[in-house]
Amino acid sequence: MHGLGELEVKVMDVLWAADEPLRVREVLERTARPLAYTTVMTVLDNLHGKGYVLRGKSGRAYEYTAAESREEAGARLLREVLYSSGDTEQVLLHFAKSATPEETDILRRALRKGKLS
């Protein structure tokens, strides 16, 4: 899975906020930016190719849903960075050393609650 561009993030924000599968027109209507229908259609096709969205036929049109939650997608991207570094341990240790106090608190709470085991 690759990173997301600016328009891809806007489209994913719409899909992550949706309670149901959306057609291209519905995604277009929910974006905060004036975009062309074909632009949204292309972005959704690219996101499908990258594995970020699932699509299914509804009549003659496709309906799109996020393949995973925003949090799951973020975790997947972090994992890809870790594994692409060649030295996962060093990257994790460097992150731990450079973590903000808030990030450190989150990690400590998660460890205490057993969420990281």
Side-chain angles (χ1 to χ4, degrees):
M1 198 180 298
H2 306 286
L4 295 176
E6 181 183 343
L7 285 178
E8 291 173 325
V9 170
K10 299 291 182 195
V11 169
M12 287 305 302
D13 285 342
V14 169
L15 292 177
W16 281 321
D19 294 330
E20 60 192 12
L22 301 176
R23 292 178 178 206
V24 175
R25 175 90 38 221
E26 295 167 319
V27 173
L28 175 63
E29 291 168 355
R30 295 180 188 196
T31 58
R33 295 176 56 172
L35 299 169
Y37 179 91
T38 54
T39 299
V40 174
M41 185 172 59
T42 300
V43 170
L44 284 164
D45 188 56
N46 291 341
L47 288 167
H48 178 259
K50 291 180 178 183
Y52 278 94
V53 301
L54 304 173
R55 71 179 174 199
K57 279 282 200 176
S58 176
R60 293 177 48 198
Y62 283 116
E63 289 184 328
Y64 295 87
T65 57
E68 56 194 353
S69 71
R70 180 188 309 270
E71 296 79 12
E72 290 167 331
R76 181 183 301 242
L77 288 172
L78 286 173
R79 196 170 300 109
E80 287 179 9
V81 169
L82 279 174
Y83 295 137
S84 69
S85 71
D87 193 341
T88 303
E89 181 179 354
Q90 287 302 310
V91 172
L92 282 171
L93 291 174
H94 181 73
F95 174 78
K97 288 180 201 172
S98 65
T100 66
E102 293 82 14
E103 292 164 342
T104 301
D105 288 344
I106 290 167
L107 289 171
R108 284 190 176 126
R109 280 194 310 271
L111 284 168
R112 276 196 300 274
K113 292 178 182 178
K115 290 184 177 180
L116 297 179
S117 55

